[in-house]
Amino acid sequence: MPERAEWIAVDWGTSALRIWAMRGSEVLAETRGSEGMGQLAPEDYEAVLLRHAERYLAGDRVTEVLVCGMAGARTGWREAPYRAVPCTPAGEGAVKVPVRDERLKVRILPGLSQARPVDVMRGEETQIAGFLAGRPRFDGVICLPGTHTKWVQISAGEVVSFRTFMTGELFALLAGQSVLRLSVASDGHDADAFRDAVGDAISRPESLGAALFSLRAGSLLEGLDPVVARARLSGLLIGLELAGARPWWLGAEVVLIGSAAVAEPYREALAAQGLAAELVSGERMALAGLIAAREVMA
Amino acid sequence: MPERAEWIAVDWGTSALRIWAMRGSEVLAETRGSEGMGQLAPEDYEAVLLRHAERYLAGDRVTEVLVCGMAGARTGWREAPYRAVPCTPAGEGAVKVPVRDERLKVRILPGLSQARPVDVMRGEETQIAGFLAGRPRFDGVICLPGTHTKWVQISAGEVVSFRTFMTGELFALLAGQSVLRLSVASDGHDADAFRDAVGDAISRPESLGAALFSLRAGSLLEGLDPVVARARLSGLLIGLELAGARPWWLGAEVVLIGSAAVAEPYREALAAQGLAAELVSGERMALAGLIAAREVMA
């Protein structure tokens, strides 16, 4: 019989959720589900949560559940309105979610918004809070690579400003759905081709559309290796982003938060520009952020 | 009973085909089909052609069929290998296609290729030939907007060089499949928003990924009008292309060949940069090119 949790931490994203059964800051058990926000209606969430976490609930008291991520979107479980930057990354503005099961008390952490340039994040603020919990004096830039990569300026424990680039989603669309799918391998990497493409995109960002089609033409005319094509596609898109994000990383201390698979190419691309970025696990930071937010809220 | 054709012209693209029953350069009848290269196996083409065009065939003699477009791709009816530029746009290198029906003699026109930078076109060369048939002394740049927009340098009746930008396909993917589909209308236009976005992308092409996500954030935070978002998306992508294609159009005589729906935004974007481009129908040019190619081949 599993141990009962003091509280439950949940990172509920667009395509998956992670659940930790907690006692204070100690993890008693961990589980995952594939029921992301993208496939759920508001009335589905409580049942999904119970399916994965009921075994951690005590029968004789209320167990607190703290959720971050897309479950707080307008189209999620219940909207947790954005907090405007500059502000601390997490702990304020949690929204209580009405539930039927009396053993549950559920709150969702809000995302962050920015007026100029207009931007939003949801979920990443909790990873940032987790990072700052361990490094409260950090003053610099955090980059969270992903479907929608975030560049975040941190100072005095606050998110000062941020900017989102659609790089990950562009890669997925081009590699999976465009004519390039016929020329690009579904995995594999070539460090030289990647680095060259990063450099090409940084020096000629305006040529993206032509550089992309060259992958197809190279494959038709010259038998371009699909693994090289994949590395070039990734390099062109990350290079374009680095060109646009240059004010963020140039001369800054940069920390990359994310899974190794997604963050490592960014580390590689920044290294080629002479910048040594630190790489930190996003999953660990999400949990650390939920723990930190709970402490702030207590 | 329909009139018998002297010959048949076919523009066979990825997603559709157009067929003209011809006598010399006179159109006797015209028909269309939705059986594009993308959905056909090599053995399907003859039956599709007969389904649409059998009524134009005489029973007692062979009718010549001249095809341009993606039917000549490696994955089409029969490969018509690319001709390398610089060269005249059409009339050389047609490939004879074996057929079962003795009333048919089918040939497919090849596309064009370029070694540096590596590039290909298939179908556009025939539209270019059609344009040059009516304007043999044209010296300048032809832009053929579409899924894969082509910029083509013409001199002394030859295609000197060209470059392809994946702009149309990027627009379709982002508007239809990305997170932006939630923020972008499926039609409508806003000339001011379009022009501003063209200018933004030309001056900061490296910010594309961030400018794209701003459409989503603007929609979430400020209720950005979906028609404005669509115009901005189109403007950002065409602006990025114009930044990359600047060496092609700057100070040049530019002719746009395409349907009004696709070419008009390019005309608008170029006009905002102070360049008056001429707009010519792509469909008319494809037919004119098939007629011109047949005359060269005779």
Side-chain angles (χ1 to χ4, degrees):
Chain A
M1 185 170 145
E3 199 162 2
R4 305 306 180 189
E6 181 194 347
W7 67 288
I8 293 172
V10 185
D11 179 6
W12 208 316
T14 302
S15 57
L17 72 160
R18 277 172 299 203
I19 299 177
W20 295 272
M22 305 292 298
R23 184 196 295 125
S25 60
E26 184 197 348
V27 177
L28 305 177
E30 182 181 342
T31 184
R32 286 155 195 265
S34 58
E35 302 93 334
M37 178 276 263
Q39 50 176 292
L40 296 177
E43 60 275 19
D44 300 334
Y45 284 80
E46 186 175 343
V48 171
L49 178 65
L50 285 170
R51 189 184 314 150
H52 291 291
E54 189 160 21
R55 62 185 183 278
Y56 307 132
L57 300 180
D60 55 351
R61 60 173 169 81
V62 171
T63 300
E64 188 191 332
V65 179
L66 189 58
V67 181
C68 71
M70 294 302 286
R74 202 173 299 166
T75 54
W77 192 350
R78 189 181 185 88
E79 184 174 11
Y82 298 105
R83 296 163 61 228
V85 297
C87 63
T88 54
E92 309 286 330
V95 163
K96 192 155 182 288
V97 184
V99 287
R100 284 179 300 270
D101 194 307
E102 294 181 347
R103 295 169 296 173
L104 294 173
K105 176 189 171 191
V106 177
R107 285 179 298 182
I108 303 185
L109 293 171
L112 303 184
S113 68
Q114 176 174 277
R116 297 258 153 264
V118 63
D119 214 329
V120 292
M121 70 167 74
R122 208 178 262 291
E124 293 90 350
E125 75 296 328
T126 305
Q127 298 182 36
I128 295 167
F131 177 76
L132 292 180
R135 297 265 287 274
R137 284 181 222 283
F138 178 81
D139 202 303
V141 170
I142 297 177
C143 172
L144 302 106
T147 305
H148 302 149
T149 298
K150 312 284 177 185
W151 290 84
V152 186
Q153 181 76 50
I154 304 292
S155 187
E158 291 198 327
V159 172
V160 177
S161 63
F162 65 100
R163 202 81 175 97
T164 306
F165 291 75
M166 274 184 66
T167 306
E169 186 159 16
L170 278 170
F171 181 82
L173 288 169
L174 287 166
Q177 318 250 24
S178 81
V179 71
L180 300 185
R181 75 188 185 283
L182 306 169
S183 302
V184 167
S186 57
D187 52 26
H189 188 61
D190 181 302
D192 288 340
F194 175 79
R195 205 164 38 236
D196 287 352
V198 169
D200 288 352
I202 288 182
S203 56
R204 289 186 302 279
E206 70 281 5
S207 296
L208 178 77
L212 292 176
F213 191 76
S214 287
L215 302 177
R216 180 64 184 145
S219 147
L220 286 168
L221 293 185
E222 300 169 346
L224 177 65
D225 178 345
V227 169
V228 170
R230 180 180 175 85
R232 264 197 77 74
L233 174 59
S234 171
L236 288 170
L237 294 172
I238 291 178
L240 180 73
E241 177 178 333
L242 290 194
R246 196 193 299 264
W248 296 91
W249 55 264
L250 200 68
E253 183 181 352
V254 175
V255 171
L256 291 161
I257 300 182
S259 69
V262 177
E264 178 56 31
Y266 278 77
R267 200 198 54 69
E268 212 178 315
L270 286 166
Q273 313 315 309
L275 191 139
E278 185 184 348
L279 208 157
V280 173
S281 153
E283 194 171 325
R284 272 202 302 120
M285 290 304 107
L287 174 59
L290 285 159
I291 295 170
R294 179 166 173 268
E295 282 167 7
V296 172
M297 289 160 64
Chain B
M1 185 170 145
E3 200 164 0
R4 305 308 180 186
E6 180 195 345
W7 67 288
I8 292 172
V10 185
D11 179 6
W12 209 317
T14 302
S15 56
L17 72 159
R18 278 173 299 203
I19 298 175
W20 295 270
M22 304 292 298
R23 183 195 297 124
S25 58
E26 183 197 350
V27 176
L28 304 176
E30 182 181 342
T31 185
R32 286 157 194 264
S34 58
E35 302 95 333
M37 178 274 264
Q39 51 174 292
L40 296 177
E43 59 274 22
D44 300 333
Y45 284 80
E46 186 174 344
V48 172
L49 178 66
L50 285 170
R51 188 184 314 150
H52 291 291
E54 188 159 24
R55 62 186 183 278
Y56 307 132
L57 301 179
D60 54 351
R61 60 174 169 80
V62 171
T63 301
E64 188 191 334
V65 179
L66 189 58
V67 181
C68 71
M70 293 303 286
R74 202 172 300 167
T75 54
W77 192 351
R78 189 183 185 87
E79 185 173 11
Y82 298 105
R83 294 163 61 227
V85 297
C87 63
T88 54
E92 308 287 330
V95 162
K96 195 156 180 289
V97 184
V99 287
R100 282 179 301 268
D101 194 307
E102 294 182 346
R103 294 168 299 172
L104 294 173
K105 175 189 172 190
V106 178
R107 285 180 297 181
I108 303 185
L109 292 171
L112 303 185
S113 67
Q114 176 175 277
R116 299 254 155 266
V118 63
D119 214 328
V120 292
M121 70 167 73
R122 208 179 263 291
E124 292 90 349
E125 76 295 329
T126 305
Q127 296 181 39
I128 295 166
F131 177 78
L132 292 180
R135 298 264 287 273
R137 282 180 226 284
F138 178 82
D139 202 302
V141 170
I142 297 177
C143 171
L144 302 105
T147 304
H148 301 150
T149 298
K150 311 286 177 184
W151 290 85
V152 186
Q153 181 76 50
I154 304 291
S155 188
E158 290 198 331
V159 172
V160 177
S161 63
F162 66 100
R163 201 79 177 99
T164 304
F165 290 75
M166 273 185 66
T167 306
E169 186 160 16
L170 278 170
F171 180 83
L173 288 170
L174 287 165
Q177 318 249 25
S178 82
V179 71
L180 300 184
R181 75 188 185 283
L182 306 168
S183 302
V184 167
S186 56
D187 53 25
H189 188 61
D190 181 300
D192 289 340
F194 174 79
R195 205 166 36 235
D196 288 351
V198 169
D200 289 351
I202 288 182
S203 54
R204 289 187 301 279
E206 70 280 6
S207 296
L208 178 78
L212 292 175
F213 191 76
S214 287
L215 301 176
R216 180 63 186 145
S219 149
L220 286 168
L221 293 185
E222 299 169 345
L224 176 67
D225 178 343
V227 169
V228 170
R230 181 181 174 84
R232 263 197 78 76
L233 175 59
S234 170
L236 288 171
L237 295 172
I238 291 178
L240 180 73
E241 177 177 333
L242 289 194
R246 196 193 299 263
W248 296 92
W249 55 264
L250 199 69
E253 181 180 354
V254 175
V255 171
L256 290 162
I257 300 183
S259 68
V262 177
E264 178 55 31
Y266 278 77
R267 200 198 53 70
E268 214 177 313
L270 285 166
Q273 313 316 310
L275 191 140
E278 185 183 348
L279 207 157
V280 173
S281 153
E283 193 171 327
R284 272 202 302 119
M285 289 306 106
L287 174 59
L290 285 159
I291 295 170
R294 179 167 173 267
E295 283 167 5
V296 172
M297 289 159 65

